[in-house]
Amino acid sequence: MMEKKNIKDLTMEELEEIVVQNGFPKFRATQIFKWIYKDVESFENMKNLPKKIIEFLKENYYIGRSLLIEKQQSKDGTIKLLLGLHDKSAVECVLMKYKHGYSICISSQVGCRMNCSFCASTEGGLVRSLSSGEIIEEVMATERENGVKISNIVVMGIGEPFDNYDELMKFLRIINHKEGMNIGMRHITISTSGIVPKIYSFTDENLQCNLAISLHSAIDEVRSSLMPINRKYNIEELMKACDYYINKTNRRITFEYALIRDINDRKDDAKALVKLLKGKLCHVNLIPINPVEGKVYERSEHCSIEEFKKIIEESGIQVTLRRELGSDIQGACGQLRKNHFIEENDKI
Ligand code: SAH
């Protein structure tokens, strides 16, 4: 017998094709799609479908749901969820409440192979990439478990989204679909460490989705020491790709810059950043580095952060200092890790 597949991995177009190929009218696909994203648990609960198509779905598919392994709530209300997948891997996502609604930070892979020296997610390397359905389920499980409706998504959790490009694109198309979750592309941000060829591909997708680039230094030598990807695609190549994106989409890029004491937070670093970004349609998001167990990096001092910010500001480049949420639950940028899941496996 063929192994059953996760129905959440199908785009509407794929679902339509399958429905038609198996002799059912095309409109059934829309009905199925709607039910999936209304979060029904079983095919039997898809009330307006005939028995025959329900049987067909049951024989070939399952409705992938993750299992809540752990939920931690920060003093500031931020919630971190650890979700178990069918193969006993686990992923983390973080729910944040803002004035304008709920935002979720989701993971794109189990582990990561980018090896950024300051990041916790990279420990243990890459286990595997998530399927589009598993990425969507992070959003669905978080809504289900917390009784909220999510309006903003940032793909800034564990993993490098552009190292899982095809599934990420499918995820975007499914979550954006008007018959499903209908989350607007403008409310979604993808963050990449700078996989240059994928920045070109992403630009050509012509989506309204936001792009963030983890820059962390405007100096090749420093960036390479922090982010090995810079040895493959250096800053010049990265900037060419960014210019291509900006020119073609007319959309602003966010450059993320984690400030690390004495490594990338000096005046010269700020000046190099200004030189690199001046005149570009962009925004700089400064993140005081979050300490990660076992790593030597220290947070910049308050006065250097302010000075750094001032230099950027005075050059006319837009800059913000990221508000920190969830640091007491290891839920802040770069702190997500899957260190619980080995002991927790038994529960799945
Ligand atoms: N792989 C993607 C997305 C995940 S990381 C990327 O690199 O962009 C999301 C952001 O958190 C990135 O900018 C990353 O560099 C940053 N980050 C990682 N570890 C951090 C830490 N310890 N403190 C602050 N930011 C960190």
Side-chain angles (χ1 to χ4, degrees):
M1 208 181 80
M2 250 181 39
E3 213 183 313
K4 289 187 189 180
K5 293 183 179 147
N6 184 0
I7 198 152
K8 287 183 182 164
D9 285 335
L10 300 176
T11 60
M12 176 69 101
E13 294 71 32
E14 287 170 334
L15 194 56
E16 277 173 353
E17 210 180 300
I18 289 161
V19 163
V20 171
Q21 265 173 8
N22 286 279
F24 303 106
K26 193 170 161 185
F27 75 91
R28 296 289 181 204
T30 312
Q31 291 178 319
I32 299 166
F33 196 86
K34 278 187 173 168
W35 282 116
I36 300 170
Y37 298 102
K38 272 189 194 146
D39 204 20
V40 291
E41 258 181 278
S42 72
F43 293 118
E44 275 95 354
N45 288 348
M46 299 188 169
K47 300 279 186 236
N48 52 2
L49 293 187
K51 258 212 170 84
K52 224 176 133 196
I53 195 162
I54 290 180
E55 284 310 312
F56 164 77
L57 293 172
K58 273 167 67 180
E59 266 167 41
N60 297 285
Y61 295 94
Y62 65 93
I63 305 175
R65 278 199 171 209
S66 49
L67 209 90
L68 179 67
I69 300 176
E70 198 179 315
K71 180 166 155 176
Q72 280 176 282
Q73 183 146 10
S74 159
K75 282 185 246 134
D76 61 33
T78 299
I79 292 172
K80 183 168 81 167
L81 301 182
L82 183 70
L83 302 172
L85 306 173
H86 68 92
D87 66 346
K88 300 193 174 178
S89 301
V91 283
E92 281 183 333
C93 50
V94 179
L95 176 68
M96 294 158 286
K97 191 174 181 193
Y98 290 98
K99 266 188 262 134
H100 49 266
Y102 285 96
S103 193
I104 187 176
C105 174
I106 56 173
S107 298
S108 53
Q109 297 181 308
V110 182
C112 184
R113 58 172 166 179
M114 305 318 288
N115 255 315
C116 297
S117 61
F118 49 86
C119 180
S121 308
T122 212
E123 283 163 28
L126 176 69
V127 178
R128 68 175 176 87
S129 282
L130 296 175
S131 74
S132 55
E134 288 173 324
I135 305 177
I136 288 178
E137 176 56 16
E138 289 181 65
V139 182
M140 295 181 79
T142 301
E143 290 194 339
R144 187 188 308 136
E145 296 295 344
N146 298 287
V148 297
K149 180 86 190 87
I150 287 163
S151 48
N152 280 281
I153 300 177
V154 295
V155 189
M156 293 188 184
I158 295 173
E160 166 50 51
F162 282 177
D163 189 33
N164 185 19
Y165 187 84
D166 294 342
E167 290 302 311
L168 183 81
M169 290 309 121
K170 268 179 81 169
F171 157 74
L172 291 177
R173 297 213 151 84
I174 297 172
I175 201 131
N176 177 241
H177 203 287
K178 62 179 190 328
E179 303 289 3
M181 315 247 321
N182 197 16
I183 297 184
M185 288 286 182
R186 285 188 178 82
H187 297 270
I188 305 175
T189 302
I190 314 283
S191 175
T192 179
S193 56
I195 302 190
V196 163
K198 294 294 191 288
I199 298 175
Y200 287 101
S201 314
F202 183 65
T203 305
D204 294 339
E205 306 277 349
N206 230 338
L207 302 171
Q208 305 279 346
C209 180
N210 304 304
L211 180 64
I213 306 277
S214 299
L215 189 60
H216 305 320
S217 176
I219 302 164
D220 269 317
E221 205 189 337
V222 179
R223 191 167 191 266
S224 293
S225 74
L226 297 172
M227 306 178 73
I229 187 75
N230 196 65
R231 299 201 184 105
K232 193 159 183 194
Y233 308 110
N234 65 15
I235 295 174
E236 193 187 338
E237 288 178 73
L238 178 61
M239 286 306 129
K240 271 193 201 148
C242 290
D243 287 339
Y244 180 75
Y245 174 88
I246 293 168
N247 292 333
K248 199 158 172 196
T249 64
N250 210 19
R251 300 185 68 78
R252 184 181 83 158
I253 290 185
T254 297
F255 289 99
E256 296 160 276
Y257 197 110
L259 286 161
I260 314 172
R261 186 172 171 172
D262 297 334
I263 305 257
N264 65 358
D265 67 343
R266 299 155 306 172
K267 266 189 186 166
D268 283 351
D269 294 296
K271 285 182 191 158
L273 187 63
V274 167
K275 196 167 166 225
L276 187 72
L277 300 183
K278 190 122 181 81
K280 282 195 206 309
L281 186 57
C282 72
H283 169 256
V284 173
N285 197 196
L286 300 175
I287 318 162
I289 192 124
N290 288 303
V292 167
E293 228 183 275
K295 309 237 176 204
V296 292
Y297 299 116
E298 281 176 55
R299 186 167 271 220
S300 301
E301 287 181 77
H302 186 71
C303 57
S304 1
I305 296 178
E306 285 308 318
E307 197 173 10
F308 197 97
K309 185 165 174 254
K310 204 165 152 232
I311 295 173
I312 313 295
E313 244 160 21
E314 282 174 356
S315 77
I317 298 172
Q318 278 185 36
V319 56
T320 46
L321 192 61
R322 184 171 294 176
R323 190 158 75 99
E324 283 180 77
L325 291 173
S327 50
D328 56 332
I329 53 167
Q330 300 278 297
C333 301
Q335 291 187 328
L336 296 186
R337 46 158 91 220
K338 52 182 174 43
N339 56 352
H340 321 260
F341 90 94
I342 297 164
E343 312 90 87
E344 296 285 344
N345 259 350
D346 304 344
K347 291 191 196 163
I348 302 178

